[in-house]
Amino acid sequence: KKGPKGSRAKVITELRENQRQTQLSSGRDGIEDTSHSPAYLRKKGLLSMEMITTCVDYFFANMYPTMPILHRVKVGETIGQMEQSPEAYCLVVSLCGYMMIQPNMILPATAFQDADIQLQPSLELGQLLMLETLRVRKTYDYIESPTVWSVITSFFLFGSYFCLDRQNTAWFHLREATTLSHVLGMQEESHYQTSGDVIESSRKRRLYWLLFVTERAYALQKHKPLSLHATISLPTMQDDPTETVELSGFVHLVTLFRPFDDTFVGLWNKARTGCSTGWLAALQQQLSDALPVYLASTESQAVDLRCSQQWLRTMVWQLSISHGYLSSVASENGLSFKFPIEISRDMITAMSGFSQAAMEVHGIGLIEKLFDVACTLIDVMSCVPHEQYSFEYGPRDYLNQFMTSISSLRGGQQRYLPLLLTKVHDAMPSMPTPGFSMPMVPANSRLLEDLWDSEANSQSQAHSSSASTPFGSPLLDAIAPHTIPGFRHSFPLGTSGIGYGDVPVPVSMPMYQSQGAPQSMFPTSTPGQEYRGG
């Protein structure tokens, strides 16, 4: 028999067992001990302690309700291990970078006093921190021996590069995060039963569901496949008795995205065929019923929930038209040509109750959803004839509001607004941009049906997985942004003077509350602060 014999074999066995126990111990603590590696050379002076504490405070004040994956005390312990552990260092640096890029958090000038870098915009510093994270990550093997910190770091890298519009890099890191979660076994319920740390176990469960939601949203936006499924229980307040932030908003977000499984995404990506009007109508009804009238949530959570709900309704409508299931006389409202007008009405009504700060927290992700819904509205406005003049609040007003909101949000005016204006001029060339006069379309026009027929008759042409539906948003890289002469960055919010048949006028309603009786539609809480009625 080959191999070492006698006492030498016993020593090797003991060494292997000691190494295995060390690895298991480091996995339980969330740390891989590579601190003694000479390759681990962090950049001194890149982050001051004030920068770190400012970013951590901002996360827990503004981002935590929608991303409840960290624990403040545990983060403090992680900060204390940055000098010894590159894994801890990368987690903290990526968190700070993400806070500076996604919500564009503004650092106070005093935060640079103890740093060896000059005063600079948060966006620029955030990009430096992403590069530092990637550099230090090369010094240890987080792929073969991942921890939950590895997953979170990859998620923060994804979020940052998504906001920077580096979509290939963003997709890589999102896929990296989901793959590492599989390696850790986070998709199995038994994984959460063996942990003796209820705080760590609860945060892991929430992290899995956050990746679940993020992957599905990105799959719809960029026509990507899925890798995570609803295989574990939803998080509850009982998972961590010390939790003080209500989780119902986070669970509602999971509920919204849960129906968008392999079946829907396969149809969306044209990887499979075959769906029925009954299935689509039931999905629309499920989305409509997914959220209660009053949300027990923070304002930033309510923004995410209300806007995601209307965006997902738009995605289902787009899938319906790509299969030729829409009709001007449909019995199901969700299968009618005018349904996007109703969606736009509901989205604008919801947004009217939210502060600018609560919307800014969500960054480019929110702008893209507004942009998608607005583009679909433009398509419908260009094809569905107006039937009568009235003084009701109508589609043109919704479009004005979308443009106003997109132009006011950081990053919207420079990139998305010019694309939206280009689409307006392409779809409705006779509509002056400042006044938004409706083009005259004959009342008996069947332009929308004709447009779909021409699309359906071209099935012999090859379609890539990223091909848009007949009524979708233009690819952001397909149109060069430009400035339209005479365009003013403020829009009239008066009545459109156009009626669209049976689409009702919006009715103001409360959007969210923290607890107790229904609250006003215009809460005055700051983002991250739970709104409590008087």
Side-chain angles (χ1 to χ4, degrees):
K1 185 177 179 181
K2 296 181 180 180
K5 306 287 192 304
S7 61
R8 181 166 173 264
K10 184 178 180 180
V11 169
I12 291 176
T13 300
E14 290 178 351
L15 287 173
R16 286 176 175 169
E17 179 62 20
N18 289 338
Q19 183 183 38
R20 189 179 73 85
Q21 292 297 332
T22 300
Q23 290 175 343
L24 289 175
S25 176
S26 66
R28 284 192 297 269
D29 296 336
I31 306 169
E32 181 190 5
D33 186 11
T34 56
S35 58
H36 300 295
S37 170
Y40 174 43
L41 297 173
R42 56 177 290 190
K43 286 187 178 179
K44 300 292 183 180
L46 185 61
L47 273 176
S48 68
M49 187 53 64
E50 185 176 351
M51 287 180 183
I52 294 173
T53 55
T54 301
C55 290
V56 170
D57 288 344
Y58 189 93
F59 174 85
F60 282 100
N62 298 280
M63 312 296 290
Y64 182 79
T66 53
M67 299 179 183
I69 59 175
L70 298 177
H71 187 271
R72 186 180 285 272
V73 174
K74 296 281 188 180
V75 171
E77 295 173 355
T78 306
I79 294 171
Q81 299 172 35
M82 289 175 63
E83 292 288 347
Q84 294 77 37
S85 168
E87 184 96 83
Y89 178 74
C90 286
L91 175 63
V92 175
V93 172
S94 63
L95 168 62
C96 293
Y98 184 47
M99 291 302 96
M100 295 179 195
I101 293 173
Q102 207 264 19
N104 199 22
M105 182 198 67
I106 306 300
L107 287 171
T110 56
F112 289 85
Q113 291 178 357
D114 295 329
D116 294 338
I117 56 175
Q118 62 182 2
L119 184 66
Q120 57 188 290
S122 297
L123 189 61
E124 293 181 13
L125 180 54
Q127 294 180 67
L128 286 178
L129 296 179
M130 291 299 107
L131 294 175
E132 171 70 354
T133 301
L134 294 173
R135 184 188 68 82
V136 173
R137 264 192 142 187
K138 295 176 182 177
T139 68
Y140 63 96
D141 193 356
Y142 68 91
I143 297 174
E144 185 62 32
S145 304
T147 69
V148 67
W149 288 357
S150 310
V151 183
I152 297 174
T153 299
S154 294
F155 175 77
F156 287 154
L157 288 169
F158 155 74
S160 298
Y161 284 113
F162 174 81
C163 293
L164 295 171
D165 197 34
R166 293 181 55 181
Q167 298 304 333
N168 290 338
T169 306
W171 167 240
F172 173 85
H173 287 295
L174 177 58
R175 202 66 165 183
E176 182 179 60
T178 60
T179 301
L180 292 176
S181 73
H182 273 289
V183 173
L184 291 174
M186 292 171 60
Q187 76 280 9
E188 300 173 0
E189 184 63 37
S190 59
H191 175 78
Y192 305 89
Q193 310 304 324
T194 57
S195 175
D197 189 332
V198 295
I199 293 177
E200 178 185 346
S201 179
S202 66
R203 294 326 186 264
K204 277 186 180 180
R205 185 182 297 276
R206 299 174 194 179
L207 175 60
Y208 181 85
W209 284 112
L210 177 62
L211 292 173
F212 174 93
V213 168
T214 304
E215 184 183 53
R216 294 185 178 217
Y218 199 79
L220 296 179
Q221 289 174 324
K222 308 299 179 183
H223 292 270
K224 301 297 184 182
L226 300 179
S227 64
L228 301 184
H229 302 90
T231 54
I232 64 173
S233 301
L234 290 170
T236 66
M237 294 293 289
Q238 287 69 42
D239 295 338
D240 177 13
T242 65
E243 180 61 271
T244 59
V245 175
E246 177 60 53
L247 288 177
S248 62
F250 181 72
V251 174
H252 281 315
L253 190 64
V254 174
T255 303
L256 277 176
F257 280 89
R258 199 163 183 167
F260 295 84
D261 53 12
D262 283 327
T263 299
F264 187 94
V265 173
L267 292 166
W268 183 256
N269 291 340
K270 298 183 175 63
R272 62 187 302 167
T273 57
C275 66
S276 66
T277 55
W279 179 74
L280 291 166
L283 186 51
Q284 286 287 10
Q285 188 62 49
Q286 188 174 352
L287 286 172
S288 297
D289 299 339
L291 300 181
V293 175
Y294 305 109
L295 290 170
S297 69
T298 63
E299 185 181 10
S300 62
Q301 275 183 312
V303 171
D304 197 15
L305 288 168
R306 297 297 184 190
C307 292
S308 293
Q309 180 186 37
Q310 305 311 324
W311 178 70
L312 290 171
R313 293 172 78 194
T314 302
M315 298 299 101
V316 176
W317 185 88
Q318 289 188 10
L319 184 65
S320 301
I321 198 171
S322 72
H323 283 73
Y325 288 149
L326 299 190
S327 170
S328 56
V329 291
S331 58
E332 295 287 346
N333 197 31
L335 298 176
S336 71
F337 289 123
K338 299 176 183 178
F339 191 56
I341 301 174
E342 179 178 323
I343 294 173
S344 299
R345 175 206 67 191
D346 293 344
M347 198 167 200
I348 292 301
T349 303
M351 289 171 56
S352 67
F354 300 134
S355 67
Q356 181 82 7
M359 292 190 288
E360 288 282 8
V361 163
H362 299 285
I364 295 297
L366 175 63
I367 298 177
E368 287 208 350
K369 290 173 183 175
L370 298 176
F371 180 79
D372 286 342
V373 177
C375 285
T376 306
L377 175 63
I378 292 169
D379 287 321
V380 172
M381 289 174 63
S382 68
C383 300
V384 175
H386 63 269
E387 298 173 358
Q388 61 183 4
Y389 287 87
S390 72
F391 292 99
E392 294 179 349
Y393 204 72
R396 193 175 69 186
D397 301 291
Y398 307 149
L399 180 58
N400 289 340
Q401 288 279 35
F402 276 124
M403 290 183 169
T404 300
S405 296
I406 289 173
S407 64
S408 66
L409 292 171
R410 177 179 51 85
Q413 182 169 313
Q414 293 78 10
R415 180 168 179 78
Y416 292 87
L417 186 61
L419 292 171
L420 201 58
L421 288 169
T422 297
K423 187 170 180 66
V424 170
H425 282 263
D426 288 345
M428 297 177 285
S430 61
M431 173 183 282
T433 304
F436 288 92
S437 300
M438 288 297 300
M440 299 303 296
V441 182
N444 61 352
S445 171
R446 292 184 54 81
L447 181 57
L448 197 60
E449 291 92 333
D450 294 341
L451 181 60
W452 163 245
D453 291 339
S454 65
E455 178 72 21
N457 292 334
S458 62
Q459 292 180 354
S460 59
Q461 300 178 2
H463 289 82
S464 68
S465 64
S466 61
S468 63
T469 61
F471 287 79
S473 308
L475 296 176
L476 293 179
D477 296 329
I479 306 173
H482 64 277
T483 302
I484 298 178
F487 170 69
R488 299 177 306 189
H489 294 295
S490 60
F491 297 87
L493 301 180
T495 59
S496 65
I498 302 297
Y500 274 75
D502 55 358
V503 178
V505 179
V507 178
S508 297
M509 58 183 291
M511 290 293 106
Y512 71 101
Q513 63 166 10
S514 63
Q515 56 186 349
Q519 306 298 332
S520 166
M521 181 179 172
F522 301 98
T524 57
S525 63
T526 56
Q529 179 182 11
E530 192 170 5
Y531 176 68
R532 302 184 182 276

